[in-house]
């Protein structure tokens, strides 16, 4: 929850080990329905940065993983830090 009317020009997600499918959305409701897609990657690793063509406005940042990294211990999604600018 970024607060009402937050303006977002970029989102940086520090990921754990492996590669993952990820999409960042911004929305006025806590759902991806009708949300603005800020950026996506089918195989993000290390740092994933989403930069929309122009700043987006919304309240909720949603980071959605549609594919986890397949580690020897099983499927893993790891987020170390998220920075919103």
């Amino acid at each position: 929850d970024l607060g009402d009317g937050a303006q977002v020009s970029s989102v940086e997600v520090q990921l754990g080990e492996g590669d993952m499918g990820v999409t960042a959305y911004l929305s006025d409701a806590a759902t991806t329905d009708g949300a603005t897609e800020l950026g996506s990657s089918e195989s993000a690793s290390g740092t994933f940065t989403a930069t929309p063509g122009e700043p987006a406005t919304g309240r909720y940042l949603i980071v959605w993983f549609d594919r986890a990294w397949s580690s020897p211990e099983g499927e893993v999604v790891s987020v170390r830090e998220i920075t919103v600018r």
Side-chain angles (χ1 to χ4, degrees), residues 2-42:
L2 303 174
D4 259 348
Q7 191 171 39
V8 175
S9 57
S10 71
V11 175
E12 184 178 280
V13 182
Q14 298 284 331
L15 301 169
E17 189 175 358
D19 67 313
M20 299 154 232
V22 61
T23 304
Y25 297 96
L26 190 64
S27 180
D28 287 325
T31 177
T32 58
D33 293 338
T36 299
E37 183 179 316
L38 303 176
S40 66
S41 175
E42 292 182 18

Side-chain angles (χ1 to χ4, degrees), residues 8-83:
V8 175
S9 57
S10 71
V11 175
E12 184 178 280
V13 182
Q14 298 284 331
L15 301 169
E17 189 175 358
D19 67 313
M20 299 154 232
V22 61
T23 304
Y25 297 96
L26 190 64
S27 180
D28 287 325
T31 177
T32 58
D33 293 338
T36 299
E37 183 179 316
L38 303 176
S40 66
S41 175
E42 292 182 18
S43 59
S45 62
T47 301
F48 163 70
T49 303
T51 307
E54 58 185 59
T57 303
R59 180 175 185 144
Y60 296 97
L61 172 67
I62 302 164
V63 180
W64 183 266
F65 293 91
D66 63 3
R67 186 181 60 77
W69 174 55
S70 294
S71 75
E73 290 82 30
E75 293 188 331
V76 176
V77 170
S78 175
V79 174
R80 294 184 177 159
E81 184 173 358
I82 298 175
T83 303

